[in-house]
Amino acid sequence: MHELVLICREDDVETVSDALMEVESLAVSVEDADANTESEKALFGEPGMPAPKSGWERSVVKALFPSEAEATEAATLLLAQEWAQDVHVQTIQAVAEQDWVRLTQSQFAPVEITSDFWIVPSWHEAPAQAKRVMRLDPGLAFGTGTHPTTRMCLRWIAQHQDLAPTWDRVLDYGCGSGILAIGAALHGARQIDAVDIDPAAVTSTNDNAKANGVTLNAGLPDQAHGEYPLLLANILATPLKLLAPLLCQHLAPGAHLVLAGILERQADDLKAAYAPWLKLEVSDSEEGWILMTGQRA
């Protein structure tokens, strides 16, 4: 395998990417040319919504080809186009053969949630200071503890474990890998319903619950019923706004609502969406993401 690496302007990213796919590139990726510098800029988007930008002001476009000759031919064809005057070849390089399983595993180290609560992949030993450990390997469903939204939710659970005696029913809405439901179970919650629209997430949640020796009920959203003293939802801002009436009808009197998947700039929209039922506040923030919580009267 050989990789063709190009630098281009933001306005050319989409055209360059399309052209590379037309010349049968195996894969195309776009990165910030200024990553890891003071000029680095984050681009946040949500599924189903228009992308904020197709690339960065200075973008690196990488395309994978089966051979050096094919990568070179693709570069020659691309640079011959009239619109490509601001596109520059940075390099054509061989892609080293790798043990992809070992490489993937190396990217997932134990994750500290609190000083004594850790998420640990199965191929790692738990840190000595870990008093509570969740075993979780990366898979098809979202949620490994590496994302700020997941960490903030789990941190909230750990920091409020004194409330666990009241968590006789818990709903994890949009459970993904089941990480929040399992985290609640490890901190003393009981009768936990974990629901998701994706059947693969339901399967993943059941498998991860077994691996951690906890009992929960995983299923599709229609499995959620009645009222819960604790409701957790780590999704994204747009679906959280649309789900406000549904989620709030599942809140028992005095229940805590914990929402994540929200960017700092989206806080006011979420507050307005949930105002008819409760007052949401920002209770944590990390890397541009926020955790919003509220308690029903």
Side-chain angles (χ1 to χ4, degrees), residues 83-96:
W83 50 261
Q85 58 184 0
D86 292 315
V87 179
H88 305 282
V89 175
Q90 188 175 52
T91 186
I92 295 176
Q93 58 193 14
V95 178

Side-chain angles (χ1 to χ4, degrees), residues 236-238 240-242 244-245 248 257 259-260 262-284 290-295:
L236 285 170
T238 298
L240 284 175
K241 286 192 292 184
L242 296 174
C248 289
L257 177 65
L259 304 179
I262 308 162
L263 297 171
E264 290 176 346
R265 58 180 168 79
Q266 298 169 325
D268 288 342
D269 287 345
L270 267 294
K271 288 180 180 179
Y274 284 80
W277 298 277
L278 49 72
K279 181 181 179 181
L280 280 182
E281 295 182 345
V282 177
S283 59
D284 202 352
I290 57 174
L291 184 75
M292 302 193 75
T293 60
Q295 185 173 11

Side-chain angles (χ1 to χ4, degrees), residues 45-210:
E46 293 190 11
M49 301 292 288
K53 290 184 177 181
S54 58
W56 290 265
E57 187 174 340
R58 292 194 329 117
S59 292
V60 173
V61 180
K62 297 182 178 181
L64 190 64
F65 292 91
S67 68
E68 183 177 9
E70 289 168 283
T72 301
E73 182 181 5
T76 303
L77 288 171
L78 190 148
L79 295 180
Q81 307 305 310
E82 292 184 4
W83 50 261
Q85 58 184 0
D86 292 315
V87 179
H88 305 282
V89 175
Q90 188 175 52
T91 186
I92 295 176
Q93 58 193 14
V95 178
E97 292 291 332
Q98 304 213 43
D99 182 337
W100 294 106
V101 172
R102 187 178 297 275
L103 179 62
T104 300
Q105 290 182 345
S106 71
Q107 296 172 348
F108 291 92
V111 177
E112 180 180 0
I113 303 303
T114 64
S115 58
D116 59 2
F117 177 32
W118 290 70
I119 300 170
V120 184
S122 60
W123 53 84
H124 279 283
E125 292 292 331
Q129 67 270 37
K131 297 178 181 177
R132 186 175 278 109
V133 173
M134 185 190 306
R135 289 291 183 177
L136 198 69
D137 294 342
L140 294 177
F142 173 81
T144 60
T146 59
H147 196 275
T149 60
T150 309
R151 289 198 301 269
M152 288 190 292
C153 288
L154 291 172
R155 190 157 57 230
W156 187 94
I157 292 171
Q159 292 172 344
H160 292 80
Q161 60 182 311
D162 58 309
L163 299 175
T166 70
W167 297 343
D168 53 1
R169 297 194 76 217
V170 175
L171 176 60
D172 178 1
Y173 201 97
C175 59
S177 65
I179 189 170
L180 302 187
I182 296 167
L186 292 175
H187 284 84
R190 303 169 303 286
Q191 200 173 333
I192 301 166
D193 291 334
V195 301
D196 202 291
I197 60 174
D198 185 355
V202 175
T203 300
S204 179
T205 295
N206 278 321
D207 291 343
N208 290 329
K210 290 179 182 177

Side-chain angles (χ1 to χ4, degrees), residues 200-266:
V202 175
T203 300
S204 179
T205 295
N206 278 321
D207 291 343
N208 290 329
K210 290 179 182 177
N212 284 278
V214 302
T215 301
L216 51 77
N217 305 306
L220 299 177
D222 59 7
Q223 180 172 294
H225 64 281
E227 297 180 336
Y228 299 83
L230 175 61
L231 195 158
L232 308 158
N234 180 14
I235 315 176
L236 285 170
T238 298
L240 284 175
K241 286 192 292 184
L242 296 174
L243 287 168
L246 173 65
L247 296 183
C248 289
Q249 82 175 29
H250 284 305
L251 295 176
H256 286 87
L257 177 65
V258 179
L259 304 179
I262 308 162
L263 297 171
E264 290 176 346
R265 58 180 168 79
Q266 298 169 325

